[in-house]
Amino acid sequence: MDAHALTEALPLGGAGAAEPPPTYLETLLAAGLLFETDVRGLYGRSAVFESIADGLNAAITRIGADQQAEVLRFPPAMSQTDFETSEYLKSFPQLAGTIHSFCGDERGHRRLLARIEDKQDWTDQQAPTGVVLTPAACYPIYPVIARRGPLPEAGKVVDVLSYCYRHEPSLEPTRMQMFRQREYVCLGSPERIVAFRQLWMDRGQQLGRDLQLPLEVDVANDPFFGRGGKIVADSQRELKLKFELLIPVNDGASPTACMSFNYHMDHFGALWHIGLADGGVAHTGCVGFGIERLVLALLKHHGLDPANWPQAVRETLGGV
Ligand code: ATP
Ligand code: ZN
């Protein structure tokens, strides 16, 4: 009997059948930290999960207290017009999500229900609403800042937190379709942005060390779409516009980007006509904290019950 026949002959889970160890996602679901839906990358969060997320947000607020950042909060959606201005579809058409609604009359409603009844696709009975899901937490702030006119002399820092949507279904719990990004965004002269990014690369690593997480920082690129995208990604790396703080989270996979440190040069300043006090085009940059990924990294390295985590880690999170 060859090995293949042997595995087929054994009953599933029976004596001798080596059960594969549960994946990290299965472990999180079994522990009740995340709740499954029938969509990959869309999960409910437990009270424990949320208390860790709150602790992280509080720690990030504490670290950024000297930034005199303006706090701006948006629901996780933006206007289609602003979304178009951002040119997101040029770079990441594969990730964007749009909101559609039923806008018809009673006949249309009957047609819609009949489609569902017949188990046919009903979504073509929906029409675009002019609302697009936010792809990155900083996107909604640029039109707001642009409308105010030129930036103050010293530039500006904004504090944002938003659920974001990206269509990247995955079985890795670190790659969700809806997740939170906390960001500090800096707008000002190139020198201001470069200094801001260096400051936050240092602070991000210090936070990771305070949380007793194994980490490394490396140059990175965004997942630009298509063949042209490869060229843009290569140049982004060459110019060192994006760095990521990486932590091993998923078994047998390369480490996961849990924070990113980005220099957009004048990309958003030019798209949105954000001016410097002296008349030049504003440069921008941001530090992004992946809230879910950091929670998942903490649970991975310190265990599924925060009550058993090292005291210093719990204190950094404000006593979760
Ligand atoms: P990746 O390269 O892993 O796709 P990214 O470089 O596209 O991530 P950014 O656009 O820099 O990520 O987003 C900032 C942070 O948001 C990331 O460092 C990460 O922590 C978090 N993040 C990005 N995509 C996801 C996702 N699909 N699920 C959970 N967190 C995410
Ligand atoms: Zn950003």
Side-chain angles (χ1 to χ4, degrees), residues 166 168 174-176 179 181 222-223 242 244 257-260 290 293:
R166 291 183 189 175
E168 40 185 8
T174 48
R175 192 168 293 286
M176 298 187 176
F179 57 93
Q181 283 183 355
D222 287 306
K242 184 182 188 80
E244 287 177 337
C258 294
M259 304 177 197
S260 72
R293 286 186 180 179

Side-chain angles (χ1 to χ4, degrees), residues 55-244:
L56 280 166
N57 265 310
I60 295 163
T61 302
R62 200 178 60 242
I63 299 166
D66 65 345
Q67 299 287 285
Q68 276 134 20
E70 177 179 349
V71 175
L72 284 176
R73 295 288 182 267
F74 287 86
M78 53 192 293
S79 91
Q80 183 174 330
T81 320
D82 286 342
F83 180 74
E84 285 163 9
T85 307
S86 79
E87 296 190 347
Y88 191 80
L89 289 177
K90 266 197 189 167
S91 301
F92 313 108
Q94 77 282 19
L95 299 178
T98 50
I99 298 185
H100 290 63
S101 276
F102 173 71
C103 306
D105 55 12
E106 290 194 31
R107 258 183 63 202
H109 185 210
R110 283 195 291 277
R111 202 160 47 233
L112 176 77
L113 294 181
R115 291 280 180 91
I116 295 171
E117 184 87 352
D118 298 344
K119 299 205 175 344
Q120 283 180 5
D121 178 42
W122 52 273
T123 53
D124 62 346
Q125 300 298 306
Q126 308 260 103
T129 57
V131 180
V132 179
L133 291 164
T134 301
C138 62
Y139 272 54
I141 73 150
Y142 301 111
V144 172
I145 304 294
R147 276 196 288 277
R148 292 182 186 168
L151 292 171
E153 198 80 48
K156 180 166 187 62
V157 178
V158 180
D159 166 337
V160 288
L161 166 66
S162 180
Y163 261 99
C164 301
Y165 175 83
R166 291 183 189 175
H167 186 240
E168 40 185 8
S170 168
L171 281 176
E172 283 184 349
T174 48
R175 192 168 293 286
M176 298 187 176
Q177 295 202 55
M178 295 203 83
F179 57 93
R180 280 160 289 189
Q181 283 183 355
R182 173 77 185 273
E183 290 192 35
Y184 288 103
V185 189
C186 187
L187 305 96
S189 65
E191 301 74 37
R192 172 88 206 262
I193 310 306
V194 169
F196 168 90
R197 189 172 67 156
Q198 189 54 53
L199 175 76
W200 279 100
M201 280 174 67
D202 297 341
R203 288 183 174 182
Q205 289 176 81
Q206 188 56 50
L207 176 61
R209 284 192 292 270
D210 290 346
L211 294 172
Q212 300 182 22
L213 295 168
L215 59 90
E216 57 181 310
V217 169
D218 203 359
V219 71
N221 62 267
D222 287 306
F224 294 98
F225 185 76
R227 249 176 298 157
K230 167 98 176 66
I231 297 163
V232 184
D234 288 348
S235 122
Q236 189 185 26
R237 274 181 175 270
E238 206 160 299
L239 296 170
K240 295 189 165 45
L241 298 181
K242 184 182 188 80
F243 287 90
E244 287 177 337

Side-chain angles (χ1 to χ4, degrees), residues 280-309:
V281 177
H283 282 227
T284 63
C286 64
V287 50
F289 298 86
I291 297 296
E292 278 73 10
R293 286 186 180 179
L294 286 166
V295 173
L296 294 170
L298 285 161
L299 290 164
K300 179 74 175 199
H301 290 282
H302 300 313
L304 300 181
D305 184 358
N308 299 328
W309 290 0

